[in-house]
Amino acid sequence: MEYIERTPANEISSFVKCFWEYKNNNSDIQHTIFPNGHFELFMIFHQQDLVNVFLSGLRSKPFDVEVPKDVVVSAIRFKLLAAEYVFDIEINSLLDTIMPLDLSYWNLKELEYLSFEDRILKISYHIYEIISNKEVDPDKLLLLGTVYKPDMTVKEVADIVQWDRRKINRYFNAQFGLSLKTFLNIVRLRSAFESVKEGLLYPERDYYDQSHYIKEFKKYTGKSPKQLSKNEDDRFLQFSLKKEP
């Protein structure tokens, strides 16, 4: 497998986490992907032809994917703020599922036969055009930036943003399909992946104890930290690569 990841330009960094591309040059392969706190636009290329486009919502549980031989998966990993200001949708209906899109969406057909770097340039400019015409609510900008900090509690987020906790939860459930607490748990768990990949199977972050740590891993991945660290047959893609796809 080949994996490339690029950070976005500063102008769109509040909306985009990264651009990434995955190439499978060998036989068909199966992976399990875990929640990462982002939603993504996927473009599937075969022999440089765009064959599939879909929007994948936030994930609250693991899901399995099969990547056929000679397929290139190119994707944009979006932050929560993009749901309202780039797509203008409530992605709650996409929780743990996908929305197929037409191949002509965002003129993505024009990206065929381009390099990964050139695709990034074109898509970045398109995203910038979308957001440059919109006035971003500063409260939402602060809120949806704060929630990506590991180890935040609901109370800490509410204190920083100066929103009532019930108001934040109503907003998260209506807009994203899950509670703020669940989202913060996913962000915290994702931040612990790096330690597990290095063989550190004990909590370094804000978990009550080892039992709570293991329970949280099993809740969102279905596996214990020890099972994930072994990563037999590269099943768990986020533990096979230096940077998470």
Side-chain angles (χ1 to χ4, degrees):
M1 69 182 79
E2 296 179 28
Y3 178 72
I4 307 171
E5 184 176 303
R6 297 287 183 266
T7 55
N10 288 337
E11 292 82 359
I12 62 173
S13 60
S14 293
F15 306 87
V16 176
K17 168 66 174 176
C18 68
F19 299 87
W20 61 267
E21 184 173 271
Y22 174 98
K23 295 181 181 179
N24 178 19
N25 300 317
N26 299 311
S27 58
D28 297 354
I29 189 168
Q30 288 189 330
H31 292 296
T32 299
I33 311 294
F34 304 126
N36 63 13
H38 298 86
F39 69 102
E40 306 187 67
L41 177 66
F42 284 86
M43 296 161 282
I44 313 300
F45 295 88
H46 181 257
Q47 297 181 348
Q48 301 192 62
D49 291 324
L50 182 65
V51 296
N52 197 5
V53 178
F54 59 90
L55 194 63
S56 178
L58 289 174
R59 298 285 176 170
S60 64
K61 56 187 178 183
F63 64 102
D64 295 328
V65 297
E66 181 172 337
V67 185
K69 179 183 177 182
D70 297 328
V71 157
V72 174
V73 180
S74 192
I76 313 158
R77 183 171 301 138
F78 287 101
K79 298 179 181 180
L80 295 181
L81 193 66
E84 182 172 349
Y85 293 99
V86 176
F87 294 94
D88 194 23
I89 59 172
E90 294 177 352
I91 62 169
N92 57 353
S93 62
L94 293 183
L95 183 67
D96 293 317
T97 190
I98 65 172
M99 174 192 294
L101 299 172
D102 191 271
L103 298 184
S104 62
Y105 186 77
W106 280 6
N107 295 319
L108 294 178
K109 257 295 199 183
E110 297 178 2
L111 303 182
E112 293 179 331
Y113 300 93
L114 294 181
S115 67
F116 178 53
E117 306 297 339
D118 286 341
R119 284 202 296 271
I120 290 175
L121 289 175
K122 283 186 172 291
I123 294 174
S124 296
Y125 182 72
H126 183 76
I127 294 172
Y128 177 73
E129 281 191 314
I130 293 173
I131 62 174
S132 63
N133 295 319
K134 297 181 179 180
E135 185 176 347
V136 178
D137 184 328
D139 288 341
K140 291 179 181 177
L141 179 62
L142 177 59
L143 169 64
L144 300 181
T146 301
V147 295
Y148 281 110
K149 297 178 181 178
D151 303 334
M152 296 294 289
T153 66
V154 172
K155 182 181 184 303
E156 288 170 337
V157 172
D159 288 344
I160 290 172
V161 183
Q162 294 295 295
W163 278 22
D164 180 81
R165 281 180 279 183
R166 289 173 296 181
K167 178 181 177 180
I168 298 178
N169 268 318
R170 286 196 299 269
Y171 173 71
F172 260 74
N173 279 299
Q175 185 75 10
F176 309 117
L178 41 67
S179 69
L180 173 60
K181 182 177 180 180
T182 296
F183 185 82
L184 295 178
N185 286 342
I186 289 170
V187 170
R188 178 177 58 181
L189 184 78
R190 171 61 193 91
S191 70
F193 284 0
E194 301 306 318
S195 296
V196 173
K197 283 193 280 188
E198 294 172 3
L200 303 175
L201 306 182
Y202 297 90
E204 293 185 312
R205 298 190 178 275
D206 190 22
Y207 289 93
Y208 301 127
D209 52 31
Q210 181 70 3
S211 176
H212 179 229
Y213 180 68
I214 294 173
K215 182 179 179 181
E216 288 289 289
F217 262 85
K218 287 186 175 180
K219 179 177 180 179
Y220 294 108
T221 71
K223 304 293 180 180
S224 68
K226 185 175 182 179
Q227 289 173 307
L228 294 175
S229 67
K230 291 181 178 179
N231 196 16
E232 296 177 355
D233 301 320
D234 283 330
R235 177 73 192 193
F236 312 123
L237 189 57
Q238 287 142 306
F239 288 81
S240 300
L241 305 172
K242 291 182 179 179
K243 289 189 175 182
E244 174 201 341

